[in-house]
Amino acid sequence: MQEISDKRFVITGGSGLIGTRVAQTLLERGAAHVTLLDNLSLSALTHLDDLISDDRVTFVQADILDRESLTEAFDGADGVFAIAAFLVIPMSRDVRLGLNVNINGMMNVIEAARAASVGKVVFASSISVYGAAIDGLVSESSPFSSTDISPTFALYALSKLIGEQLGALYAASGGPEFSTVRFATVYGERQHERGLNALQIVKAYKAIQMGERPVIVGSGDDGHDFIYVGDAAEGMVRTMEVGRTGAAYNIATGRSLTTREAVEAVIRITGTDLRPRFVPDERGAAAPTLRESLHLDVSAAKTDLDWEAAVGIEEGIGMMISWLDRVE
């Protein structure tokens, strides 16, 4: 068990969607200090004033490919949240760098944590590790399937699986304790533009703002598990506290929602009469077509972490829209 109150933590990828919310959650739990570590290649320090102004928060611009910088940043830390990574869209643009970051960068994080005597690392993985294995209830023991998925998506998923196994390997050979969270589709405040599925929610709202019909890519019948970033961050912090070493946890709502239903939620919240229009799906990096069939087993998170998602889709989208209105 890793206490949060009065402890020190480092978050790689600390300026992003999930990293900033993990930091906020840690501070609310009484953490003594939080270091946000990011190379700012995929994000920026904009909209972070509320965090950086806290005396308990330090920002360090560093790259997880630089192990020496990591070891220095991890010095004195009780725990590390390993979030920095290439997502599917950036990886589709630079596969070599994406694999280097996701695999060698993750190895650097673990080795630096061991060198700095960090107690525990929690790794941000993804439900992409199941690939096309989406029939029935998807639990942490479901295998990866490469059937009918794009090469880029497969490479991203496999890089996450390698990261999980690197952590387990080092934990078994004297390294820091290591647990994994497998995030579903995370959305919310500070939403980035690299998420394949959550981005459709943002684009729908921006279209409505401009008086245009929201666009749905494909049929809109693809199923996803949309989880609000506050719930996702709480799940990751709970994993730091009580997650079992070597265990992986689905951090999701356990409920399937189609893209069409998510866009319809945006339409209801905004009160617009505009109806969606549909365009062909030409995304080369797209995830498997799930057609309302994604059902993630979240029982392990409930049992081990005493965690479950609390925010519904309309409430979560409403909070994201309020944030977008404030910053634009």
Side-chain angles (χ1 to χ4, degrees), residues 119-143:
K120 186 172 184 178
V121 174
V122 174
F123 175 48
S125 187
S126 162
I127 63 166
S128 67
V129 300
Y130 304 119
I134 55 174
D135 291 332
L137 192 62
V138 181
S139 73
E140 289 83 354
S141 62
S142 297

Side-chain angles (χ1 to χ4, degrees), residues 137-157:
L137 192 62
V138 181
S139 73
E140 289 83 354
S141 62
S142 297
F144 172 76
S145 171
S146 62
T147 304
D148 296 329
I149 60 177
S150 70
T152 303
F153 186 86
L155 289 170
Y156 167 73

Side-chain angles (χ1 to χ4, degrees), residues 90-217:
M91 183 170 286
S92 70
R93 297 167 182 159
D94 193 338
V95 174
R96 182 182 297 273
L97 180 58
L99 291 175
N100 193 22
V101 168
N102 285 11
I103 297 173
N104 292 325
M106 188 58 199
M107 187 179 297
N108 285 342
V109 168
I110 300 167
E111 290 183 344
R114 182 167 65 177
S117 299
V118 171
K120 186 172 184 178
V121 174
V122 174
F123 175 48
S125 187
S126 162
I127 63 166
S128 67
V129 300
Y130 304 119
I134 55 174
D135 291 332
L137 192 62
V138 181
S139 73
E140 289 83 354
S141 62
S142 297
F144 172 76
S145 171
S146 62
T147 304
D148 296 329
I149 60 177
S150 70
T152 303
F153 186 86
L155 289 170
Y156 167 73
L158 290 170
S159 75
K160 285 297 186 181
L161 275 174
I162 291 172
E164 292 185 14
Q165 295 306 313
L166 284 170
L169 176 66
Y170 277 74
S173 59
E177 292 185 38
F178 185 90
S179 300
T180 294
V181 294
R182 293 174 175 170
F183 285 125
T185 299
V186 182
Y187 72 95
E189 297 89 341
R190 300 188 179 95
Q191 183 68 52
H192 53 67
E193 296 190 356
R194 304 184 303 280
L196 282 169
N197 303 311
L199 189 54
Q200 292 213 56
I201 299 174
V202 177
K203 287 183 174 180
Y205 177 62
K206 289 185 175 180
I208 291 169
Q209 277 186 309
M210 295 185 291
E212 301 174 357
R213 295 170 63 190
V215 172
I216 293 178
V217 178

Side-chain angles (χ1 to χ4, degrees), residues 10-286:
V10 179
I11 305 170
T12 72
S15 70
L17 167 69
I18 299 173
T20 51
R21 195 55 176 260
V22 168
Q24 181 180 328
T25 303
L26 291 170
L27 295 172
E28 290 170 354
R29 296 283 197 85
H33 192 269
V34 177
T35 296
L36 306 176
L37 187 147
D38 205 300
N39 69 359
L40 300 181
S41 63
L42 298 175
S43 57
L45 287 178
T46 54
H47 317 314
L48 295 184
D49 290 346
D50 57 331
L51 282 175
I52 297 176
S53 62
D54 193 306
D55 292 339
R56 296 174 293 166
V57 177
T58 300
F59 177 78
V60 173
Q61 185 166 351
D63 197 306
I64 62 172
L65 292 176
D66 181 353
R67 189 170 61 185
E68 185 176 338
S69 294
L70 291 177
T71 303
E72 181 179 347
F74 292 177
D75 184 40
D78 297 287
V80 168
F81 293 87
I83 302 174
F86 264 52
L87 301 182
V88 178
I89 292 177
M91 183 170 286
S92 70
R93 297 167 182 159
D94 193 338
V95 174
R96 182 182 297 273
L97 180 58
L99 291 175
N100 193 22
V101 168
N102 285 11
I103 297 173
N104 292 325
M106 188 58 199
M107 187 179 297
N108 285 342
V109 168
I110 300 167
E111 290 183 344
R114 182 167 65 177
S117 299
V118 171
K120 186 172 184 178
V121 174
V122 174
F123 175 48
S125 187
S126 162
I127 63 166
S128 67
V129 300
Y130 304 119
I134 55 174
D135 291 332
L137 192 62
V138 181
S139 73
E140 289 83 354
S141 62
S142 297
F144 172 76
S145 171
S146 62
T147 304
D148 296 329
I149 60 177
S150 70
T152 303
F153 186 86
L155 289 170
Y156 167 73
L158 290 170
S159 75
K160 285 297 186 181
L161 275 174
I162 291 172
E164 292 185 14
Q165 295 306 313
L166 284 170
L169 176 66
Y170 277 74
S173 59
E177 292 185 38
F178 185 90
S179 300
T180 294
V181 294
R182 293 174 175 170
F183 285 125
T185 299
V186 182
Y187 72 95
E189 297 89 341
R190 300 188 179 95
Q191 183 68 52
H192 53 67
E193 296 190 356
R194 304 184 303 280
L196 282 169
N197 303 311
L199 189 54
Q200 292 213 56
I201 299 174
V202 177
K203 287 183 174 180
Y205 177 62
K206 289 185 175 180
I208 291 169
Q209 277 186 309
M210 295 185 291
E212 301 174 357
R213 295 170 63 190
V215 172
I216 293 178
V217 178
S219 68
D221 294 328
D222 46 311
H224 305 281
D225 192 313
F226 292 96
I227 181 169
Y228 176 63
V229 65
D231 285 335
E234 179 66 24
M236 197 170 201
V237 171
R238 285 295 294 160
T239 303
M240 175 64 75
E241 286 181 300
V242 297
R244 292 183 292 108
T245 292
Y249 298 100
N250 287 336
I251 299 299
T253 67
R255 297 180 294 276
S256 184
L257 194 75
T258 66
T259 296
R260 186 197 298 261
E261 289 170 329
V263 172
E264 289 289 350
V266 177
I267 290 171
R268 287 194 299 274
I269 291 167
T270 58
T272 184
D273 293 328
L274 294 166
R275 301 307 304 162
R277 64 184 180 91
F278 298 83
V279 300
D281 189 352
E282 299 176 346
R283 300 171 297 174

Side-chain angles (χ1 to χ4, degrees), residues 262-311:
V263 172
E264 289 289 350
V266 177
I267 290 171
R268 287 194 299 274
I269 291 167
T270 58
T272 184
D273 293 328
L274 294 166
R275 301 307 304 162
R277 64 184 180 91
F278 298 83
V279 300
D281 189 352
E282 299 176 346
R283 300 171 297 174
T289 300
L290 303 180
R291 303 194 71 81
E292 303 185 41
S293 60
L294 181 63
H295 298 287
L296 295 167
D297 185 354
V298 294
S299 60
K302 290 180 180 179
T303 299
D304 287 7
L305 310 178
D306 190 25
W307 172 91
E308 60 184 319
V311 177

